[in-house]
Amino acid sequence: MKFCSECGQSVTARVPDGDTRSRFICDHCQTIHYQNPRIVAGCLAVHEQQVLLCRRAIEPRMGYWTLPAGFMENGETTEEAALRETWEEARARLQSQQLYMLFNLPHINQVYMFFRGELADLDFSAGEESLEVRLFHETDIPWDELAFPTIGKTLKQYFIDRRQQHYPVHMRDITYRPGQVRR
């Protein structure tokens, strides 16, 4: 950040009084500009023994499979964001959705929240950000072609929980140290 969004003057990175982290502070109006994690919300949409996946039509990871998800917008709840992203990417509607997985990814300043729910109907199709959308049985999931670690971890946990017919809310941290190989 170089300029203040309040007055347009230059900013300096420094630790404000009473704080412990460096922040961008306007040299003119003294506005402190906080940078906070971004929330990614999405859905694990299921139908009978299958899960709905989208093949990405956008970067990053274009051509790889994912759950429908994206960045939350101001003015919406996490559930509204997840349902909106599911509609935008898969033209799918859900019913009886519940929070299912929460991932903290501090190394990229993101929090992922996935809701699990039943497809309201089988009338779905690829949205603008998807090349194709399909239902997959566990044995048919393209495990080596999943876009992000959060997707594989969510799917694996879902299939464990499905065998037990118990779906608690799970929370996981995914952290990487500099130079560590990401999986």
Side-chain angles (χ1 to χ4, degrees):
M1 181 174 207
K2 294 183 180 185
F3 301 101
C4 178
S5 59
E6 294 295 316
C7 71
Q9 298 295 313
S10 63
V11 297
T12 304
R14 65 180 186 270
V15 178
D17 292 338
D19 204 337
T20 58
R21 295 178 186 252
S22 182
R23 315 281 184 187
F24 289 109
I25 303 172
C26 178
D27 298 322
H28 179 72
C29 73
Q30 302 304 309
T31 296
I32 300 172
H33 297 277
Y34 295 93
Q35 294 178 308
N36 302 106
R38 297 184 70 184
I39 297 173
V40 175
C43 289
L44 170 62
V46 299
H47 173 70
E48 296 175 354
Q49 300 295 311
Q50 298 175 300
V51 296
L52 186 73
L53 295 178
C54 304
R55 196 155 65 93
R56 293 177 59 84
I58 60 172
E59 293 292 350
R61 309 288 286 163
M62 185 167 65
Y64 286 81
W65 292 93
T66 188
L67 295 170
F71 290 111
M72 184 176 171
E73 300 286 349
N74 289 335
E76 64 185 358
T77 68
T78 52
E79 184 176 10
E80 289 169 342
L83 293 172
R84 175 185 51 76
E85 287 289 343
T86 301
W87 174 254
E88 288 177 2
E89 294 182 11
R91 297 295 185 245
R93 291 173 296 280
L94 268 65
Q95 58 189 15
S96 305
Q97 60 276 353
Q98 298 291 322
L99 181 62
Y100 181 60
M101 293 291 293
L102 186 143
F103 291 99
N104 295 298
L105 291 88
H107 62 285
I108 56 172
N109 303 317
Q110 292 179 356
V111 175
Y112 276 67
M113 301 178 77
F114 288 110
F115 290 79
R116 181 186 61 85
E118 295 287 327
L119 282 171
D121 54 53
L122 296 180
D123 184 22
F124 57 83
S125 62
E128 198 169 298
E129 296 180 1
S130 299
L131 296 170
E132 65 179 301
V133 179
R134 289 183 30 207
L135 286 169
F136 287 89
H137 287 282
E138 180 179 7
T139 55
D140 298 325
I141 290 176
W143 294 102
D144 293 334
E145 298 174 38
L146 296 178
F148 308 106
T150 54
I151 306 308
K153 291 176 186 305
T154 298
L155 291 169
K156 287 176 183 175
Q157 186 64 60
Y158 168 72
F159 292 118
I160 290 168
D161 291 346
R162 188 178 75 185
R163 285 189 270 286
Q164 300 170 1
Q165 289 297 299
H166 179 64
Y167 303 97
V169 175
H170 299 279
M171 185 174 76
R172 304 278 186 275
D173 295 337
I174 299 177
T175 57
Y176 294 106
R177 293 179 202 89
Q180 180 181 3
V181 176
R182 298 179 184 191
R183 298 181 197 268

